[in-house]
């Protein structure tokens, strides 16, 4: 379905912590608008409705029946992403879903299939694909400036406050879904590291072919992992590691944030301002020194996520982050969980 319009009007499904930020992005982007807000809890709707002057409902069917809703943005607990997305696709609405696309590959596949069947676009709210810095990094990596990629390191070490588990970082919604395996799908890996898994995949084009992981819940009264180490093998032979935890006093200290990609000719740190170190520098560069990567264009934020999705829908093109991208990042996460549970290496692609 191609819309003959310059504005994509979103119905918001799930108006908790991140949706409040995404609403700011939707209202400030030139090509998006908020048409309706929906949440099963009426108490989280009133302040947003008052601020944005839009109708609200606690009934998802009412939102999906609203002809002024062109697309939905889904920001609910993880296990609801796929069923709600499928319902929206069946109602002819384009779907922008928060990460992770789903908690199982079967659900991810069903959502992708429903969007294809009903001819609506499906996007996932990752940042890398709408970030000019990551695009510049991607261009360099794909041009071979790092040489052969040999190693990848992903790190997410933080101490989430006790209040996070029942109210996120803002306390906007009191809930316990983040603590529940069946509702969240997992802990720090599916919640946080999944962004970096997507980033590395998009920047390098490498696919993970095997993982081995050790994981546990060592310091938090929750069902999901708070500590995990994953070793990965990529399809070009490179090795990767993930070190992640949500109960780490002192966090990562002075470690530069962002995934690191090591090649035979250099290293790239995929931070918001990426850093690059090259043994054979680009024009005018000094060998064997760290430099900030030059790039032009916007860095990713909530506005970029919604406006780039909207531009694709309005032009009848593929969204910058596709359902397939969402599925591939989820697949690595699920393989790591399967390995952690079975204490065996797990090969990818996974059988759903
Ligand atoms: N892209 C990012 O950087 C980013 C950051 C934070 C959160 N997220 C993702 O956003 C999603 C939501 O996270 P959050 O932190 O906002 O959680 P939250 O708990 O603050 O909000 C979730 C909301 O969904 C509502 N909800 C529950 N069941 C519903 C249903 N059946 N229909 C409609 N609404 C329903 C809840 O009432 C709540 O208001 C998660 O997928 C999370 O991983 C993404």
């Amino acid at each position: 379905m191609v819309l003959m319009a310059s504005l994509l009007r979103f119905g918001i499904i799930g108006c908790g912590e991140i949706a409040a930020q995404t609403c700011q992005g939707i209202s400030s982007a030139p090509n998006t608008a908020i048409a309706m807000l929906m949440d099963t809890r009426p108490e989280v709707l009133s302040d947003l409705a008052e601020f944005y002057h839009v109708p609200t409902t606690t009934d998802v069917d009412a939102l999906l029946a609203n002809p002024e809703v062109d697309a939905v943005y889904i920001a609910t607990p993880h296990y609801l992403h796929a069923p709600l997305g499928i319902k929206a696709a069946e109602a002819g609405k384009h779907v922008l879903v928060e990460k992770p696309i789903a908690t199982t590959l079967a659900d991810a596949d069903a959502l992708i299939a429903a969007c294809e069947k009903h001819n609506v676009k499906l996007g996932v709210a990752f940042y890398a694909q709408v970030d000019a810095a990551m695009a510049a990094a991607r261009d360099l990596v794909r041009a071979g400036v790092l040489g052969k990629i040999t190693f990848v390191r992903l790190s997410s070490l933080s101490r989430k406050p006790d209040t996070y588990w029942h109210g996120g970082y803002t306390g906007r919604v009191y809930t316990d879904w983040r603590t529940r395996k069946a509702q969240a799908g997992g802990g720090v890996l599916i919640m946080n590291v999944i962004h970096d898994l997507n980033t590395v995949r998009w920047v390098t084009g490498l696919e993970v072919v095997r993982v081995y992981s050790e994981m546990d819940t060592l310091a938090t009264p929750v069902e999901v992992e708070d500590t995990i180490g994953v070793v990965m093998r990529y399809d070009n032979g490179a090795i990767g590691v993930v070190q992640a935890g949500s109960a780490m006093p002192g966090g990562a200290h002075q470690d530069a944030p962002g995934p690191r990609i090591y090649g035979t000719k250099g290293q790239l740190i995929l931070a918001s301002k990426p850093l690059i170190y090259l043994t054979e520098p680009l024009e005018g560069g000094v060998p064997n020194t760290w430099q900030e990567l030059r790039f032009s264009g916007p860095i990713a934020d909530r506005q970029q996520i919604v406006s780039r999705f909207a531009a694709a829908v309005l032009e009848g093109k593929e969204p910058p982050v596709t359902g397939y991208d969402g599925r591939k990042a989820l697949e690595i996460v699920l393989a790591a969980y399967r390995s952690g549970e079975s204490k065996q290496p797990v090969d990818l692609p996974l059988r759903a």
Side-chain angles (χ1 to χ4, degrees), residues 72-94:
V72 297
Y73 163 71
I74 300 174
T76 61
H78 299 164
Y79 74 113
L80 296 171
H81 289 180
L84 288 167
I86 290 168
K87 229 172 170 343
E90 287 168 353
K93 311 296 185 188
H94 301 285

Side-chain angles (χ1 to χ4, degrees), residues 139-158:
D139 287 348
L140 288 181
V141 171
R142 303 286 178 113
V145 300
L146 293 182
K148 176 182 152 74
I149 306 290
T150 55
F151 193 71
V152 171
R153 195 198 73 169
L154 291 80
S155 180
S156 175
L157 300 168
S158 72

Side-chain angles (χ1 to χ4, degrees), residues 13-19 38-41 44 75-78 80-81 84 98-100 125 127 173 175 177-178 191 195 302:
I13 301 180
C15 293
E17 183 160 293
I18 196 67
M38 183 263 151
D39 199 292
T40 43
R41 296 187 193 195
V44 304
T76 61
H78 299 164
L80 296 171
H81 289 180
L84 288 167
E98 266 304 337
K99 41 57 58 169
Y127 292 100
V173 182
T175 179
W177 69 267
R178 293 179 184 85
M191 186 67 85
H195 277 295
R302 307 311 293 176

Side-chain angles (χ1 to χ4, degrees), residues 4 6 63 80 92 108 134 137 144 191 203 219 249 254 278 282 310 344:
M4 304 302 288
S6 56
L63 179 132
L80 296 171
M134 293 306 121
M191 186 67 85
V203 167
Q254 292 172 345
L278 294 174
L282 302 164
Q344 297 296 322

